[in-house]
Amino acid sequence: MATEIMPGLALQKVDERIMTLNVGPQHPGSGHMRIVVQIDGDYIVACDPDPGYVHRGEEKMAEYRNYITNIPHLERPVIHDSCNVLYPYVLGAEELLGIEVPERAKYVRVIASELNRCIYIMYWLAIYGIFLGHSTMFMWPAGDREFLIDLMEKMSGARVTHAHFVPGGVRNDLPANFEDVCLRHVNYFEKRIKEYAAVFYDNPILISRTQDTGVLSKHDAIRLGTTGSVLRASGVDYDLRIKEPYDVYDELDIHTNVMKEGDAYARSRIPWLDMLESCNIIRQALQKMPKSGSVRTKLKPNPKTKGPATVYKRVESGRGSLGCYIVSDGKTEPYRLKLSVPSFRNLIALPHLLKGEKLGNMPSVYWSLNYWPVEADR
Amino acid sequence: MGTATGIIRALNSGIKHMAIKRFTLRYPEEKLKFVGDGYQFDPSTGVGIAGLKGRHMLFHDHCTGCQLCSIACEGVAEAIAMVKVPEEQKQNKKSIMPQIDYGKCVFCGLCVDACPFYALYMTNDYELSSFSKEGLIYTPAQLAVKPYVAQDSEIQITARGATHG
Ligand code: SF4
Ligand code: SF4
């Protein structure tokens, strides 16, 4: 339809019936991004997500910092999931620097990353609740996150951006008595999130708004390259914690949650089931963790890699598989660092899902993609 | 399950919450209690000691003015500047000590990890707001003061729900 009248300047013919609507970037229902939707009456005929408003140049910044000072800024893309964002970078840096991680540190990392996964999902769920106008579902997760944030604060000393993982282990050992407090909080947290079933997931109003909207078939989910909860909600059993176990995940008994429907309801339910599973993983890890021992391999302040090498590591974050590709030229800084983020991969499915949907269903479909704008922009 | 039963169950679940205890914390009357005295680091083992990453504390008798903390922060936030210490104060060989700008600091604690002389720790003090940007710059003399913290509230889990007691 578009005719180019000058290089870079296109004139688009518009249909009388079609209206273009900008949702965002300041819209509370879009996050830090814009979704350009074309509507015919109440139906969406085309949709063009426009991310990039919160681009921070994390990848470029990483080229000027050494392997230690890269830590605080690399967790910024998703501050609520900061341990999982750092995880692939730390695993990659360990391989490049050639250092071993003590056994206890691996368990501490697993606990931290599972706690962070729950913290992230609770935040995501709170926003999903308020997107659908369910203000109770905003208040409860926002309040119940506190148990886990309190645990992370005891563990790492920071409530949100922990900077806790470091190549070679974790920054500090667990405080005294942490295991008991952790178990108590996690058990209560699990009890609390089970209550969400009656008020939210079994609520007929939520079901009528999300069931059969934005259906992503198994074939399309694979073809579009989605990941994490979106992929599992479409019936593909894929979880990196099982398929490519890192650290001590292979020693733990993990169960993945898969739903076949592929609609917005399944995509909103899978993260909740994941949280229940995370509680199990934390309990197992607490039990199996060596009771004492070192948690960090000593490292020089400005460590150098062994030589030119590349490494790609990925982990299962709260949103899906998160990869980190590091190219090293044997210096103290990475030559190139690339983050492959799940948010961006899930966003690709959005135009596909919204076509033919009612405009009123946009928030429920959009946020069910488990998308985090800042992570997609990096 | 029918629509009506589902809605009644949802309402019922919400109404139950009227009977459970209030979970929110009445800040600033109540303040959260943290583990330990703040994040510390032991250079001999290379492992930190758990604690809140709050405002720093500088021990003037340990600091040698080696600038390692400032170098560590260069790649993070450039919050540390090495400044001359006034004559009347405790001196080190180079007469310089770190001054921290909390308008820039991200409380990562990497400067604490870098200090090899047990001179820089973090404390439980997180209430650093100021009306001016200059008020956020803490000189070595200010950093040497041990903060007064009255924090005693902890999460308590009871049969009637959790509360900050
Ligand atoms: S805590 Fe981090 S940002 Fe703050 S002064 Fe130390 S190194 Fe710099
Ligand atoms: S605080 Fe520590 S690292 Fe910083 S100048 Fe003093 S001795 Fe050196």
Side-chain angles (χ1 to χ4, degrees), chain B residues 56 69 72-73 76-80 100 104-112 122:
Chain B
H56 298 74
C69 52
C73 193
V76 182
E78 296 178 8
I80 303 187
I100 303 182
K104 294 177 179 170
C105 177
V106 296
F107 301 96
C108 62
L110 286 179
C111 50
V112 178
M122 286 172 127

Side-chain angles (χ1 to χ4, degrees), chain B residues 24-46:
Chain B
T24 41
L25 176 79
R26 295 247 154 123
Y27 181 83
E29 283 87 39
E30 298 171 62
K31 285 175 191 170
L32 266 186
K33 189 173 177 231
F34 305 111
V35 288
D37 291 330
Y39 179 75
Q40 302 178 352
F41 188 76
D42 186 353
S44 63
T45 55

Side-chain angles (χ1 to χ4, degrees), chain B residues 58 62-70 82 98 111 114-117 119-120:
Chain B
L58 180 70
H62 290 274
C63 180
T64 60
C66 67
Q67 308 188 19
L68 282 178
C69 52
S70 154
M82 301 303 293
C111 50
C115 177
F117 301 107
L120 197 62

Side-chain angles (χ1 to χ4, degrees), chain A residues 79-80 82 116 119 145-154 156-162, chain B residues 25 32-34 52-53 126 155 164:
Chain A
I79 53 172
H80 302 291
S82 56
N116 256 261
I119 292 172
R145 274 172 86 224
E146 186 65 27
F147 298 106
L148 308 183
I149 292 189
D150 194 69
L151 286 176
M152 279 315 294
E153 172 212 291
K154 285 189 167 59
S156 72
R159 291 172 72 81
V160 183
T161 46
H162 314 291
Chain B
L25 176 79
L32 266 186
K33 189 173 177 231
F34 305 111
L52 189 85
K53 290 179 185 141
Y126 54 89
I155 293 182
H164 278 101

Side-chain angles (χ1 to χ4, degrees), chain A residues 71-115:
Chain A
I71 291 168
H73 84 88
L74 272 182
E75 63 183 7
R76 254 63 191 175
V78 197
I79 53 172
H80 302 291
D81 204 4
S82 56
C83 285
N84 278 318
V85 177
L86 265 186
Y87 217 147
Y89 166 75
V90 167
L91 290 172
E94 272 156 12
E95 196 173 307
L96 287 176
L97 300 166
I99 37 175
E100 282 298 313
V101 187
E103 193 67 10
R104 185 171 156 89
K106 290 183 181 171
Y107 278 98
V108 176
R109 279 199 210 164
V110 166
I111 294 170
S113 93
E114 291 305 320
L115 286 172

